[in-house]
Amino acid sequence: MNTIFIIGVGLIGGSFALDIKKIYPESAIYGIDNREAHLNEAIKLGIIDQKAVLKDVANADLVIVAVPVDATLSVLPDVLDNVSDQTIVFDAGSTKEDICLTVKQHPKRRNFLAAHPIAGTEFSGPGAAICGLFNNKTNIICEVEDTAFKLQEKALKLFSELGMRIRYMNPKAHDKHIAYVSHLSHISSFMLGKTVIEKEKNERDIFDMAGSGFESTVRLAKSSPAMWAPIFEQNKSNVIETLEEYINNLKDFKKLMENEDFEAVYKEMQATNHIADILNGIQ
Amino acid sequence: MNTIFIIGVGLIGGSFALDIKKIYPESAIYGIDNREAHLNEAIKLGIIDQKAVLKDVANADLVIVAVPVDATLSVLPDVLDNVSDQTIVFDAGSTKEDICLTVKQHPKRRNFLAAHPIAGTEFSGPGAAICGLFNNKTNIICEVEDTAFKLQEKALKLFSELGMRIRYMNPKAHDKHIAYVSHLSHISSFMLGKTVIEKEKNERDIFDMAGSGFESTVRLAKSSPAMWAPIFEQNKSNVIETLEEYINNLKDFKKLMENEDFEAVYKEMQATNHIADILNGIQ
């Protein structure tokens, strides 16, 4: 791992760069980004060593594509057009079906590993990059059999050095399940924020009353629309399905309250407390 | 502050006891709880000095009522029946209208201060009590003019020593606004947990994919149903109103997705990002 290119020097790309520099201090890390200001900031923060352009990836050992998933659809084939046979390219997108499809027939398909590191914060840009972001996190790899064995090995060695656990999944299953445990959370949080902000127009004092519970549930509403709108677009049908179920559950809960059936309200909550055991399983 | 009674030695009552013992090491702290096991645990954990029963409050300087809000409606008048003229009694309930109403005509009304410290975690019971829980938190006080001036002073001195900032509000306004910034968050979180757990029945692998975003939005779904069902019951009409608005916002978002209007989806999220500034204001 001598020559590494990070395409998209934001939260995810930048965090990869910081960890890789620690593990391979001798490596040269190049940044590619359509925002010149982000590249300059990434250099200033010591995230990348220097700027580069797409055709430079010919010399890469590793290329990480960490741009919004709509941009990945156009950037990834261009990257593959330019890499050598020894280069491993992986992405970090929160959708996998469209991305895998877009390079399915690419002559360099075997240089690509479709990855989704389940890691991040609600912040974005180079300033949001942090060391150790991927430690103890899950990395979902799709269509592993379509990546050249020696190149897989290279990427898996890096993931292991970063402290990630690997799960293999097909792109369809990935997109379906991630809609529940990630995409829906973001919408529930955004709409919670919206509902409360709409109220605040008239009632400025309201936020003095907000505590850590509100803060925790609304945290994801700080997330980047540039990252999330394309995710919802690519995973539209799954996300709509989860939203449907979520809305129905909320309506049922409201109905129980309207019927003053607070014993049932109690039972609903008690049954869902089980989430604590599940979350303990995650950590 | 020599003789202090904590009624309900759980997360809130226990955390008050721990801080008070630090500030007044000479004080004697008595616990009252209908769960014998909680009292024994509270003694073992050094939260209270000894157990007591309701009629003992005759000797109290301070009584803190920290039981679920349905229990408060019956316990609070009993407490007031038993206290001396020098005793200040405050509650910590997440609803204020019914509680204030229930003691409105009580001959000892002026011994009571209606309080809602906006502090807590998703855990419950004596084991959940922590030092410093109230530091830098908001405490909402209702109908302050109905509390005897000298007794107000006693309570406010303690709140100040605990590091709390005070907001005065009428019970109606409290219950209306707290529905938005606290009660709704809990329902959104419980129903998110429910939606995902229902899915998990068939798909056990799904939780391997959950990250910190899901964990944060679903955290409140670990909360105690015994505490929350009575809150929703007492604040029924306000909570139903917030749920209505929340469900409508979710439906609108789903409609935008169905219409493939991802520019509007982007704008919805961008407008809600403003929550970050608001949350910075809270901290």
Side-chain angles (χ1 to χ4, degrees), chain A residues 138 167 181 188 194-195 199 207-208 212 214-216 219 221 223 236 246 249 260 268 273 278 283, chain B residues 138 167 180-181 188 194-195 207-208 212 214-216 219 221 223 236 246 249 260 268 273 278 283:
Chain A
T138 299
R167 295 283 178 274
V181 291
S188 84
K194 184 184 176 184
T195 305
K199 208 68 199 171
F207 290 104
D208 269 355
S212 60
F214 177 66
E215 208 184 330
S216 161
R219 178 171 74 83
S223 303
K236 196 184 60 168
Y246 183 54
N249 282 328
E260 313 216 5
E268 281 279 289
N273 276 166
I278 294 170
Q283 286 163 337
Chain B
T138 299
R167 294 284 179 273
Y180 282 91
V181 290
S188 85
K194 184 184 177 185
T195 306
F207 289 104
D208 269 356
S212 59
F214 177 66
E215 208 183 330
S216 160
R219 177 171 76 84
S223 303
K236 196 185 62 164
Y246 184 52
N249 282 329
E260 314 216 2
E268 281 278 290
N273 277 165
I278 295 171
Q283 286 162 339

Side-chain angles (χ1 to χ4, degrees), chain A residues 128-187:
Chain A
I130 45 177
C131 287
L133 179 65
F134 304 102
N135 191 35
N136 279 321
K137 303 290 164 58
T138 299
N139 193 356
I140 300 176
I141 293 177
C142 293
E143 296 188 339
V144 67
E145 65 284 359
D146 290 344
T147 309
F149 184 69
K150 287 208 177 244
L151 298 179
Q152 276 179 43
E153 235 176 11
K154 251 167 120 170
L156 288 173
K157 180 167 174 287
L158 176 65
F159 297 147
S160 157
E161 288 161 339
L162 293 170
M164 307 196 86
R165 58 180 163 267
I166 304 298
R167 295 283 178 274
Y168 297 100
M169 211 171 240
N170 70 60
K172 226 181 186 54
H174 169 277
D175 285 10
K176 187 177 140 87
H177 296 325
I178 205 74
Y180 282 91
V181 291
S182 166
H183 303 174
L184 177 59
S185 296
H186 283 79
I187 298 176

